[in-house]
Amino acid sequence: MPETTVETRRLTIAEALREAIAEEMRRDEDVFLLGEDVGVEGGFGGAFGVYLGLVEEFGHERIIDTPISEKAIAGAAVGAAVLGMRPVADMQYADFLFECMDELVNQAAKLRYMSGGKLSVPMVMRAPVGTTLRGAQHGQCPESYFVHVPGLKVVAPSDAYHAKGILKSAIRDDNPVLVFEHKLLYGSKGREAAGGFDLTAEVPTDDYTVPIGKAIIKRSGIDVTLVATHVSLYRALAAADQLASEGIECEVIDPLTLNPLDEQAIFGSVQKTGRLVIVHEDTLTGGWGAEVAARVADDCLAYLEAPIKRIATRDVPAPAAPVLEQAIVPQVETIVATVKEMLG
Amino acid sequence: MPETTVETRRLTIAEALREAIAEEMRRDEDVFLLGEDVGVEGGFGGAFGVYLGLVEEFGHERIIDTPISEKAIAGAAVGAAVLGMRPVADMQYADFLFECMDELVNQAAKLRYMSGGKLSVPMVMRAPVGTTLRGAQHGQCPESYFVHVPGLKVVAPSDAYHAKGILKSAIRDDNPVLVFEHKLLYGSKGREAAGGFDLTAEVPTDDYTVPIGKAIIKRSGIDVTLVATHVSLYRALAAADQLASEGIECEVIDPLTLNPLDEQAIFGSVQKTGRLVIVHEDTLTGGWGAEVAARVADDCLAYLEAPIKRIATRDVPAPAAPVLEQAIVPQVETIVATVKEMLG
Amino acid sequence: MTPSKRAEADLPGGASAQADTAAWVEALYRGMLLIRRFEERVYRLFLEGEIPGTLHQYHGQEAVAVGVCDVLRPDDWITSTHRPHGHALAKGVSARAAMAELYGKRTGCCAGKGGSMHLGDPSVGMLPAIAIVGGGNTVVTGLGLAMKLRKSDQVAACFFGEGATNEGAFHEGLNFAAVERLPIVLVCENNLYGASTPYHRVSLVPDVAERAKAYGVPARIVDGMDVLAVRAATAEAVASARTGAGPTLIECKTYRFTGHSRSDACDYRTDDEEAEWAARDPLLVHGARLEQEAIEQLEAGVRAELDDAVEFARSSPLPEPHEALDGVYA
Amino acid sequence: MTPSKRAEADLPGGASAQADTAAWVEALYRGMLLIRRFEERVYRLFLEGEIPGTLHQYHGQEAVAVGVCDVLRPDDWITSTHRPHGHALAKGVSARAAMAELYGKRTGCCAGKGGSMHLGDPSVGMLPAIAIVGGGNTVVTGLGLAMKLRKSDQVAACFFGEGATNEGAFHEGLNFAAVERLPIVLVCENNLYGASTPYHRVSLVPDVAERAKAYGVPARIVDGMDVLAVRAATAEAVASARTGAGPTLIECKTYRFTGHSRSDACDYRTDDEEAEWAARDPLLVHGARLEQEAIEQLEAGVRAELDDAVEFARSSPLPEPHEALDGVYA
Ligand SMILES: Cc1ncc(C[n+]2csc(CCOP(=O)(O)OP(=O)(O)O)c2C)c(N)n1
Ligand SMILES: Cc1ncc(C[n+]2csc(CCOP(=O)(O)OP(=O)(O)O)c2C)c(N)n1
Ligand SMILES: [Mg+2]
Ligand SMILES: [Mg+2]
């Protein structure tokens, strides 16, 4: 959180991300951006407008509009990174990452190790996630696939302050970092989805970074630990508000980084509360919540006063109809009910 | 396990798989095989000889040698399955599945749901796994990525009897089924890796199937539950042997199917033993062991007498040097030591 | 002989045949008109908040869907893209089922689970549309393979944009289709842009048809604003596919009259360019072959059909929340 | 001027230049001989159980690696494949470091972590070889992009087999390289087979070079058994890349003299075909340009170098088990 002495403004996540990229590009000539529709004049500035204005400042050399070729985008990022460039690659929707899994899993994540540690792959891949009425192929939250890949780092910021700071860290990191943001949280439109929370945040005007691998305690509490990201984080916070009015104090943790996971922060909290609920919009089976649960079930078993609960999107592809989508994605009521049951 | 009255022979897994495919192709005209190098005269019969002889019996129409185009292989399987064919697609190494993730995750797994349940995708994808001195890009066990995909089924047989029976079930199943086998277990060469266990098994001469979604209790015990597949299963059995000589009785479970997981079999065992160790050759973080642990930490918490332990390949790409590979893959000694520590 | 039965036949000669021809010319116009008016309604309903989700619309490209599907039989198959409304209507998905799907209703062609980007219906030979660019290009090979293995004379047509030709899927799918001589027609709708990106910035070769040579696949470039031109090229390609001669690629030069998706103002295109293509509106081009009176009748019929479709969609039940869990596995 | 400094220069004329030429002709021969003898040793050591893992060997294709790398500067880069031994030695990985890597020793060029399929060394401009067929074809575009953005005059060469041209990666990589005019040379080693599969069964177009047209990329077909032919074509392509004219594809017609991998008996090839290509052995073709005496001297030198390499590998320490955990992250 920004200290009180620094100058700040309220920004949306989209604005914060744009600033992060622009500032890093000004700071370091090796940083560049590539992806589909990122720099066309009169175009969108990327699928969600994050890059608007960048091509005007940095030109087509450093803001590269690619063909619709996800393998080329990812492969180019890998190769350029090996030579010391710091590419920021854009995947319009995280769902398209499946088109360049080889480049990410077999190349980006492994080249350093295969070389005996002689080279590095300092690339960033940005990928918007989230179930947002676009159906099965534009609504996935595939973070968990990448959490499983040794050699990759995975971050998932949920507000403007952390989004800007951690994207900067990702760009400066010497490893491949996947940055997952939620489509509903970019601007103000997602406010309702986030339970009315204000999605803008105070963002310092000065340069700052947020470290990869450190969780954030969003709210302190002693009865139960809630771990959540993205929209689920805001729902967890809303649930915590409701529960507080009934005298139940939730500790809400935003892991921020999914790999490497700040397990100490989670262990510490669970040791205090004795109860753990993990909430995510990725589907349940094999989701990153399982990893959190497994680590806690190993390290903190003696502290657990209740079974570990995971609340996740049901194990189905995303349906298009709003009523169906709503039925599969974790909602505030489910979180509230689960916590009450744990304590009851 | 075969009943005593049926006629059986001892077969290797490779032989058993070949029989399964040949018998299903004879039984059902809609079954066909496609992949790289599967039917070239004078060729290999697939990367591990599983298909030797098939092209002679079924001809090039039904044993289709494809270009080196994993997306086309998987996409063709999806499309043919939609029209009611029952393709068996071959991925020479499971590591190459990353080249056709879109076809598997976004198409095979989702088309049925997207259609409102109007169509089915009865395809099989065979993919050999295992760390076998071939380095980072030919040694992965990527089962866990697919366990995370709603719409796919994932099986992982470890002996000839179950391999044949479950491959037949997979071919007859109306859903996309990924069949993961371990390279070291195909023939007799893996015997040493499997701790000297005989890898052949009695296989009935008559038609039979092994159901998807049912685990096998490989060994009964009351002190600790070991869940493992493939080579790790044989190592778990070897560890159980050693531990038995010290008076510790392990229950060893081969889940056989990783999705849908036979959780009742595991819960039942853990409720008896109070202790759970999961062993797999896939890497630790985000591996399917986490899902097993998470489910047990939810359903069986009250029964647990010790933290849930996962023993998995370390979170690194597979190194080539034998001494390094050995250092990252679960070994018998680690299993023994872990169990003793749990009980000590 | 109904228009769709005409299949690969040439335009007929003779007296009664001429009546047939007139009916068929009208049917083609009606097919395009239905798509145009459907899209216009849908856009309005979307802006009014009645239709949820997102939209990629087909205005301007109607001649392609209608020209191709007119040649296809009900038992032939198509694959489609993120922009599937036109393909769906042309292949025989009813306006009711399509509209209800956009509304997220249980009576939709995908029971509300597909939505705009996945419109389709196996019962009329259309896969749920695949919204992964290039996604249909590998899957269609399997449709073709099944047809070939079963020795049926069916054909599968794959619709895709010029942008999709830069995907690996285009390459692998086309090569595999070529090598296996699959009964496939590849229909590239070259509308000059992939989202905001003009094709000439992402391919040094302006004609997609040129690329087919790399696979030994015959290709044709046709005026995608003229339904008869599209139909004629498709008829040839389909006939060749039915007799086992393998795939053909047809590049239809066309233009989308709207933004890429609902929120796109098209500032990356010039007014001149837009005006030039508007003058070649497929409804104008083909409309010139009809009497004005006939057109007005068709308009009225289409209006009624769409009134009915909207009414049907509005009054259809929403799916029950628990239905979200059905249909993942067979 | 050492041979490798000759770079894009033509063969020199004049008296002292002729001595230069002779030395250079010998150096090319030596480069190929080193690979041939290296592969022979390695195969024997593998059969004897000294070298673990698996092998894909390069015998027969030596003219390609050596002809290409002779043009490249130390600060140019290459990507390689599952069959990388020849590329590694030609680009400057020492026989010691390569051999030790095959032995799984800490002194190997990848510290024992890469092994046969991932030989490489950034310090000589070679990525760890990528054993995913086509894998290098997208990654190389990034090397080229970095060079272009930095306005260096470096070049990246990408080796791949004809089999790789059916991968989506070939397509996406080549198109992106073309559009961005990246300083890349695509070197296709068309040895007629991908594993057991003859190319004519998986491509209707027999020449890979034909495919380059689909991307507006110039292509050349050369005799891949003649190191001078390969070198000449590469020199042109590299010169063009250095000046910003973009990628070139060079298709080298060649043949592997061994099985696809260690256990392959090649029963899918005819004896006649093998004999025909054996007669065009690159060592014979180029050897004819040298005196027998020179060849014998080179053999002796190579033998000594490999004796030393094997001795080095044998006596090198194994990595410590805990080293397996290092080097995943920077
Ligand atoms: C694999 C993949 N990459 C990117 C996208 C995002 N996207 C949707 S449509 C589109 C443009 C497609 O262009 P084109 O193929 O020409 O079809 P058109 O929209 O012009 O009909 C893009 C980039 C996607 N859906 N799938
Ligand atoms: C993506 C992928 N698919 C399949 C393989 C298995 N494989 C290894 S080498 C090879 C043949 C490659 O043929 P080609 O590209 O012609 O190279 P060559 O072996 O002839 O040098 C195959 C199929 C692989 N390594 N990667
Ligand atoms: Mg387009
Ligand atoms: Mg080859």
Side-chain angles (χ1 to χ4, degrees), chain D residues 117-133:
Chain D
M117 280 204 268
H118 304 306
L119 277 193
D121 186 348
S123 72
V124 302
M126 178 180 183
L127 271 192
I130 296 180
I132 299 296
V133 169

Short mmCIF file of all heavy atoms in Angstrom, two decimals, chain D residues 117-133:
data_model
loop_
_atom_site.label_atom_id
_atom_site.label_comp_id
_atom_site.label_asym_id
_atom_site.label_seq_id
_atom_site.Cartn_x
_atom_site.Cartn_y
_atom_site.Cartn_z
N MET D 117 20.14 -34.16 -26.91
CA MET D 117 19.11 -33.44 -27.66
C MET D 117 19.10 -31.94 -27.43
O MET D 117 18.38 -31.22 -28.11
CB MET D 117 17.73 -34.02 -27.35
CG MET D 117 17.47 -35.29 -28.12
SD MET D 117 15.72 -35.61 -28.33
CE MET D 117 15.38 -36.62 -26.91
N HIS D 118 19.87 -31.49 -26.43
CA HIS D 118 19.84 -30.05 -26.14
C HIS D 118 21.22 -29.42 -26.14
O HIS D 118 21.44 -28.37 -25.54
CB HIS D 118 19.14 -29.81 -24.79
CG HIS D 118 17.76 -30.39 -24.75
ND1 HIS D 118 16.82 -30.09 -25.70
CD2 HIS D 118 17.16 -31.26 -23.92
CE1 HIS D 118 15.70 -30.76 -25.44
NE2 HIS D 118 15.88 -31.47 -24.37
N LEU D 119 22.14 -30.04 -26.87
CA LEU D 119 23.48 -29.45 -26.98
C LEU D 119 23.37 -27.99 -27.42
O LEU D 119 22.56 -27.65 -28.28
CB LEU D 119 24.29 -30.18 -28.06
CG LEU D 119 25.01 -31.47 -27.72
CD1 LEU D 119 25.98 -31.78 -28.86
CD2 LEU D 119 25.75 -31.38 -26.41
N GLY D 120 24.23 -27.18 -26.85
CA GLY D 120 24.25 -25.78 -27.24
C GLY D 120 25.11 -25.01 -26.27
O GLY D 120 25.52 -25.55 -25.23
N ASP D 121 25.39 -23.78 -26.62
CA ASP D 121 26.20 -22.95 -25.75
C ASP D 121 26.05 -21.49 -26.16
O ASP D 121 26.54 -21.10 -27.22
CB ASP D 121 27.67 -23.38 -25.83
CG ASP D 121 28.53 -22.64 -24.82
OD1 ASP D 121 28.05 -21.64 -24.22
OD2 ASP D 121 29.69 -23.03 -24.64
N PRO D 122 25.39 -20.71 -25.32
CA PRO D 122 25.19 -19.30 -25.67
C PRO D 122 26.49 -18.57 -25.96
O PRO D 122 26.51 -17.64 -26.76
CB PRO D 122 24.50 -18.73 -24.42
CG PRO D 122 23.86 -19.90 -23.76
CD PRO D 122 24.74 -21.08 -24.06
N SER D 123 27.57 -19.00 -25.33
CA SER D 123 28.81 -18.24 -25.50
C SER D 123 29.37 -18.37 -26.91
O SER D 123 30.21 -17.57 -27.32
CB SER D 123 29.85 -18.67 -24.46
OG SER D 123 30.33 -19.96 -24.78
N VAL D 124 28.95 -19.37 -27.67
CA VAL D 124 29.36 -19.44 -29.07
C VAL D 124 28.20 -19.14 -30.01
O VAL D 124 28.26 -19.40 -31.21
CB VAL D 124 29.99 -20.81 -29.43
CG1 VAL D 124 31.20 -21.08 -28.54
CG2 VAL D 124 28.98 -21.94 -29.33
N GLY D 125 27.11 -18.61 -29.45
CA GLY D 125 25.99 -18.23 -30.31
C GLY D 125 25.11 -19.38 -30.71
O GLY D 125 24.57 -19.42 -31.82
N MET D 126 24.94 -20.34 -29.82
CA MET D 126 24.05 -21.45 -30.11
C MET D 126 23.11 -21.67 -28.94
O MET D 126 23.55 -21.97 -27.82
CB MET D 126 24.84 -22.73 -30.37
CG MET D 126 23.94 -23.93 -30.64
SD MET D 126 24.89 -25.44 -30.93
CE MET D 126 23.55 -26.61 -31.28
N LEU D 127 21.83 -21.55 -29.19
CA LEU D 127 20.83 -21.89 -28.17
C LEU D 127 20.94 -23.36 -27.84
O LEU D 127 21.31 -24.16 -28.70
CB LEU D 127 19.42 -21.67 -28.73
CG LEU D 127 18.75 -20.33 -28.61
CD1 LEU D 127 17.28 -20.48 -28.96
CD2 LEU D 127 18.87 -19.77 -27.21
N PRO D 128 20.60 -23.74 -26.61
CA PRO D 128 20.44 -25.17 -26.38
C PRO D 128 19.51 -25.69 -27.47
O PRO D 128 18.48 -25.08 -27.77
CB PRO D 128 19.74 -25.23 -25.01
CG PRO D 128 20.03 -23.93 -24.36
CD PRO D 128 20.19 -22.93 -25.46
N ALA D 129 19.89 -26.80 -28.09
CA ALA D 129 19.08 -27.32 -29.18
C ALA D 129 17.66 -27.60 -28.70
O ALA D 129 17.45 -28.03 -27.57
CB ALA D 129 19.71 -28.59 -29.74
N ILE D 130 16.70 -27.32 -29.56
CA ILE D 130 15.30 -27.52 -29.23
C ILE D 130 14.84 -28.80 -29.91
O ILE D 130 14.89 -28.91 -31.13
CB ILE D 130 14.48 -26.30 -29.69
CG1 ILE D 130 14.94 -25.06 -28.90
CG2 ILE D 130 12.99 -26.56 -29.51
CD1 ILE D 130 14.21 -23.78 -29.25
N ALA D 131 14.44 -29.76 -29.10
CA ALA D 131 14.13 -31.09 -29.63
C ALA D 131 12.66 -31.26 -29.96
O ALA D 131 12.22 -32.34 -30.31
CB ALA D 131 14.58 -32.15 -28.63
N ILE D 132 11.91 -30.19 -29.82
CA ILE D 132 10.53 -30.18 -30.30
C ILE D 132 10.60 -29.83 -31.78
O ILE D 132 11.12 -28.75 -32.14
CB ILE D 132 9.70 -29.13 -29.52
CG1 ILE D 132 9.67 -29.45 -28.03
CG2 ILE D 132 8.31 -28.99 -30.13
CD1 ILE D 132 8.97 -30.75 -27.67
N VAL D 133 10.11 -30.71 -32.63
CA VAL D 133 10.22 -30.46 -34.07
C VAL D 133 9.53 -29.14 -34.40
O VAL D 133 8.36 -28.93 -34.04
CB VAL D 133 9.62 -31.63 -34.88
CG1 VAL D 133 9.48 -31.26 -36.35
CG2 VAL D 133 10.48 -32.88 -34.72
#
